[in-house]
Amino acid sequence: MVRHDHPTPVLGALGLFTVLLGAALPLIDFFIVNVALPTIDHDLDAGPALLELVVAGYGLAYAVLLVLGGRLGDMAGRRRLFLLGIAAFGITSLACGLAPDAWTLVGARVAQGAAAALMLPQVLATIQAATSGHRRARAMSLYGATAGLSMVAGQILGGVLVAAAPLSSVFGESAGWRSVFLVNVPVAAVGLVLAARSVPETRSERPAPIDVPGTLLLAASLVTLLAPLTEGRAAGWPLWTWVSLALFPFAAAAFYRVERRADRKGLIPLVPPSLLRLDSLRRGLSLVLPFSVGFGGFMFVIAVALQQGLKLGPAASGLSMAPMAAAFFAASLAGPGLVRRYGSRVVTAGGIIQALGVVVLVITVWRDWSGLGMLGLLPGMAIAGLGQGLQLPVLFRIVLSDVPPERAGVGGGVMTTTQQAALALGVATLGSLFLSLAPGSGMRDALAVTLLVQLGAVVLTTLLSLRLPRAVA
């Protein structure tokens, strides 16, 4: 049993496993619905706009509240907020799985995203506050590996669950998509028990009050950008989408001015501009953004292309991601040793390898679309996954390497908000591009063009990696 009042809290092996389980759940659930969307549409008669909201409602609530979740953990205790978040995540997952109609599912997904935003920032903050030296480097590498694997594993797990439909005797044809949510309930229950026993309590020694203006303006900035980009295509680009996009730069500018003013007055804003002056954090985030935009868009587009274009079943569509997941895992295990030897140049090498994988996928799609299956996709998926696994865990380490422990919650919240907002932006932009091109150009050409756009994001990430500090703490 962990002594939660210990003056120097230590995160043991079981505690690390538990918080990483908490980190995996929100990311798995962002992607797990991709392969379930056709069955949700069929069962609930949702239509394109509501299906977009099933994905976007979760992503928006998650992205908007992440920094606030980190601040609350600094104030009230990160273990306490982690327990509250994982319990709420289990309850809202149950609500998603039992939803009788599409609008109820959308509402439950928004609540699920809010629960995830309470839970996830505590993971990074606890690692920062309760580990040091080699143990922290190892924990951060494992966090990065968990994040990347979770995003791929979500799609694989979703495909298998939709195809297996283990609850068919209870729910009939809707069992497949319901199971992708209900599977979270026992996992969250186990996580709750383990967290109560193994996660030490940490909090900021000088917790700051809630930055209400900053919170509201950050929410306004993210909503005015992500909501119209996500819903615009499906809704036919009504007037509100253009008004919202026009308001975004004003909301973002107001957010920055309010935060800078608070920082200059010696207050502690939601996202302190002084934190962004940390060279490692600023440069690391500049890579996390294009990496996550490309990754989020790719995972959504490939699920639609394989199921609707090639008519692969949900299991085959999900399992097509397995080579990417396996290669990512292998690269993540090798990453810490490579970083000790080559520093941040591992990220550059990873970008080059990922770019090669995307090129192989483009050639494969172009040359053999009609006969494309899991084996045909394997080389490109594996090469891309290898490159991604060399980048993401190292980027997470770099972003948080110089953040002081007392600001761990804020630093973790800023990073996860950037990642989550970029994932949602990738789904909105690359997803809309693909779905706009597909009716006129066909699935093959639409997928090839979208992959080439993603390739541009990979090239940008690779070039920016040359500006990273060579040594990685």
Side-chain angles (χ1 to χ4, degrees):
M1 178 76 72
V2 172
R3 284 184 59 193
H4 303 299
D5 60 344
H6 198 284
T8 54
V10 175
L11 186 66
L14 183 59
L16 179 60
F17 169 80
T18 304
V19 295
L20 290 180
L21 178 66
L25 282 174
L27 289 168
I28 286 174
D29 264 65
F30 184 83
F31 290 97
I32 200 170
V33 297
N34 284 347
V35 291
L37 290 176
T39 54
I40 293 174
D41 187 21
H42 177 268
D43 188 56
L44 299 183
D45 193 24
L50 280 181
L51 285 179
E52 295 273 7
L53 278 176
V54 169
V55 178
Y58 177 88
L60 277 171
Y62 188 19
V64 164
L65 297 173
L66 270 168
V67 178
L68 179 61
R71 175 64 59 86
L72 289 173
D74 288 348
M75 293 175 59
R78 292 151 188 155
R79 174 178 174 271
R80 180 179 299 174
L81 264 292
F82 183 83
L83 290 169
L84 177 63
I86 200 167
F89 194 85
I91 293 169
T92 52
S93 295
L94 180 64
C96 290
L98 300 179
D101 55 62
W103 278 110
T104 303
L105 178 59
V106 169
R109 283 283 283 174
V110 171
Q112 190 187 34
L118 284 181
M119 175 171 57
L120 187 65
Q122 319 316 325
V123 176
L124 281 169
T126 299
I127 290 173
Q128 288 286 98
T131 61
S132 60
H134 175 68
R135 292 181 63 251
R136 179 182 295 175
R138 178 174 172 271
M140 286 303 301
S141 293
L142 287 173
Y143 175 86
T146 299
L149 276 174
S150 299
M151 292 187 283
V152 181
Q155 215 131 304
I156 298 172
L157 180 62
V160 171
L161 288 172
V162 170
L167 307 174
S168 57
S169 61
V170 179
F171 292 111
E173 292 183 0
S174 68
W177 71 261
R178 294 183 187 278
S179 65
V180 305
F181 300 115
L182 295 176
V183 71
N184 293 328
V185 178
V187 176
V190 170
L192 194 62
V193 173
L194 292 178
R197 295 180 58 85
S198 64
V199 176
E201 181 66 281
T202 64
R203 69 184 74 208
S204 175
E205 294 182 2
R206 296 182 298 275
I210 298 298
D211 176 12
V212 176
T215 300
L216 293 176
L217 285 170
L218 176 62
S221 301
L222 291 173
V223 170
T224 52
L225 175 65
L226 294 176
L229 289 178
T230 304
E231 282 294 296
R233 185 201 58 83
W237 296 104
L239 178 62
W240 72 265
T241 59
W242 299 108
V243 172
S244 182
L245 287 171
L247 290 174
F248 164 69
F250 297 100
F255 171 68
Y256 178 74
R257 284 198 299 271
V258 166
E259 299 298 273
R260 186 177 61 177
R261 187 181 304 119
D263 213 11
R264 287 176 172 174
K265 289 181 177 179
L267 305 175
I268 304 181
L270 191 69
V271 180
S274 57
L275 195 66
L276 298 177
R277 287 198 289 269
L278 293 174
D279 196 50
S280 55
L281 183 139
R282 188 178 64 256
R283 294 188 181 186
L285 287 180
S286 72
L287 274 78
V288 170
L289 183 61
F291 179 95
S292 299
V293 167
F295 192 92
F298 170 79
M299 295 298 286
F300 175 79
V301 166
I302 200 71
V304 175
L306 294 182
Q307 288 195 81
Q308 296 185 10
L310 294 176
K311 306 301 180 186
L312 295 183
S317 173
L319 289 172
S320 296
M321 303 289 108
M324 179 178 284
F328 190 104
F329 183 65
S332 299
L333 292 179
L338 293 172
V339 168
R340 283 194 294 272
R341 186 170 181 180
Y342 300 108
S344 64
R345 291 299 172 260
V346 172
V347 178
T348 306
I352 294 170
I353 295 170
Q354 185 188 1
L356 177 61
V358 175
V359 169
V360 171
L361 283 173
V362 171
I363 295 172
T364 302
V365 166
W366 190 262
R367 293 179 59 184
D368 190 29
W369 175 248
S370 60
L372 192 57
M374 293 172 59
L375 287 178
L377 290 167
L378 191 151
M381 290 288 191
I383 296 170
L386 184 68
Q388 291 164 348
L390 291 174
Q391 294 175 82
L392 194 62
V394 185
L395 287 177
F396 284 167
R397 283 178 59 182
I398 290 171
V399 168
L400 296 177
S401 58
D402 295 327
V403 176
E406 64 271 13
R407 305 178 91 177
V410 177
V414 170
M415 189 184 75
T416 48
T417 297
T418 302
Q419 182 198 20
Q420 183 60 37
L423 288 172
L425 186 61
V427 173
T429 54
L430 294 184
S432 294
L433 172 66
F434 172 78
L435 294 172
S436 298
L437 291 174
S441 303
M443 286 282 184
R444 184 195 70 170
D445 292 1
L447 179 58
V449 170
T450 306
L451 286 172
L452 289 173
V453 173
Q454 188 204 359
L455 179 62
V458 176
V459 170
L460 176 61
T461 304
T462 306
L463 293 174
L464 288 173
S465 71
L466 298 173
R467 299 178 63 249
L468 290 173
R470 183 66 182 266
V472 179

